[in-house]
Amino acid sequence: MFNASRRLFISAFAFGATTVAAGRSIAAPGDGHAVGYDVAPASDYLKTIPRKSGDPVVFTASLDKGPIKATSGGWAREVTTRGLPIATGIAGAHLFINAGGAREMHWHDSAEWAYIVDGHCQVTVVDPEGLTEIVNLSPGDLWYFPKGHGHSIQTLGASPCHAILAFDDGLYSEHGTFGISDWMSRYDTPALSQAFGVSAETFARIPKAETYIMQGEILPLDGPQARATRELDRRRSHRYALMAQRPKVSTPGGALYVASAREFPMSTTLTGIVLKLKRGAMHEPHWHVDANEWHYVLKGRTRVTLFAPDKRIAVAELSPGECAYIPRNCGHSIQNIGADDAEIVGVLDSGAYRESSLSDWLAKAPRHLLANNFGIPEKDLANFGRKRMVISPPVA
């Protein structure tokens, strides 16, 4: 049997060698053959690669038309990967708390970021070492809570407070947090009495289910509760006044504000962004090399163009209340197509902010290389800009 197998192997090897030798001798020049060092150009080729077809890329959703979870003190809506499958890395939410309302103490297995759109609130945070921060936030401020940090949000003043939230987990659900009322209401009274060293009667009035956002008395903006703050130093604080800072980018077309871990040290897993675009302006084609992007339209109308996975292009127009998710490394641009200025708030799921720009490539690449890439004369590329704009002004 061994001899028979050996004869078959030798025969097959000899046939392959003969075929290769024949290929070398009969191959016509330019047929694209490849054998070791013996290679040649292809004589039959495509001038350009045909575009791939397929299902349209769905990368946007309406956050403010999503299901609502409302209790006596306010409500929340959310968009997760369950409703927007492409959004695997980030979930978003809209939180509204009445005057006098408070989102109860809770925590979850993901970090939480928020941008205060309107109103004022007081945030209380207790970290795993028991270090506590109590701090007041105003419009334009951010909060960030690392996963597992117990926290609550309570409105200050006679006006409601609402915020746009993001979480560094696409499967996160605002409907599945670890809330203090939900947890304690599931324990029997003797266990609570033993745990806290107080009589069982103390717990008789605890609600028998989750209160979520509870309505209470209005706390004045200048009242004793509002003044009872304990703010930590910059490196440990859960609050950052983003809109009180200078923008990272400012051009005639608009401004880009950024709060990465460099500016907001507590925010280690999420970078906050606020983009303001004048009418007709554009955040030029770019990509983020190590982060997904989720953003929400506060004002105006935008057109987002996505250079998606599998080399597909998707275009969507967004209005206030709608959001978009851009997977990491996917090229995209955001253009204001409305009659008024546009304002967009969002996050990247990285503590570092890095943005690569198509205009940067085109400005810095050799002209002869670009002429080759596009198949056009080098002189036609002389007017490509040499300076990156980031936010391009409207076309005159």
Side-chain angles (χ1 to χ4, degrees), residues 68-281:
I68 190 170
K69 180 179 180 180
T71 51
S72 64
W75 54 259
R77 300 177 188 271
E78 66 181 16
V79 168
T80 72
T81 191
R82 295 179 181 90
L84 184 60
I86 197 173
T88 56
I90 306 171
H94 196 164
L95 176 67
F96 180 93
I97 307 178
N98 299 338
R103 174 70 171 97
E104 66 173 335
M105 185 71 79
H106 65 287
W107 69 98
H108 28 72
D109 191 30
S110 60
E112 175 182 325
W113 172 99
Y115 175 83
I116 304 296
V117 177
D118 200 13
H120 298 79
C121 66
Q122 185 173 90
V123 163
T124 301
V125 193
V126 182
D127 75 9
E129 284 72 45
L131 186 64
T132 302
E133 180 171 41
I134 303 172
V135 63
N136 299 338
L137 284 78
S138 303
D141 289 351
L142 308 179
W143 74 58
Y144 178 88
F145 309 132
K147 65 179 180 180
H149 286 213
H151 56 276
S152 64
I153 304 101
Q154 187 168 19
T155 297
L156 295 175
S159 299
C161 179
H162 73 106
I164 303 301
L165 281 61
F167 305 84
D168 60 359
D169 178 4
L171 283 172
Y172 164 82
S173 173
E174 177 63 30
H175 299 257
T177 56
F178 301 98
I180 190 171
S181 64
D182 191 31
W183 191 21
M184 291 182 65
S185 70
R186 295 169 185 265
Y187 272 71
D188 60 40
T189 301
L192 292 175
S193 178
Q194 179 182 355
F196 298 105
V198 296
S199 67
E201 289 75 17
T202 304
F203 303 100
R205 295 184 179 180
I206 287 182
K208 302 309 178 186
E210 180 186 12
T211 60
Y212 191 54
I213 305 173
M214 176 70 84
Q215 185 63 47
E217 297 295 324
I218 294 177
L219 302 182
L221 272 175
D222 58 351
Q225 299 93 340
R227 295 195 298 270
T229 57
R230 281 182 270 167
E231 187 165 1
L232 299 176
D233 62 74
R234 173 184 173 273
R235 297 204 63 81
R236 296 183 297 171
S237 181
H238 300 81
R239 168 188 176 270
Y240 182 71
L242 175 58
M243 300 310 289
Q245 314 303 317
R246 294 182 62 182
K248 182 179 180 66
V249 175
S250 181
T251 78
L256 174 65
Y257 296 80
V258 173
S260 68
R262 177 181 297 177
E263 296 83 13
F264 186 13
M266 180 59 70
S267 189
T268 56
T269 67
L270 293 166
T271 289
I273 56 173
V274 172
L275 175 65
K276 295 190 175 186
L277 295 175
K278 299 291 186 181
R279 179 179 178 180

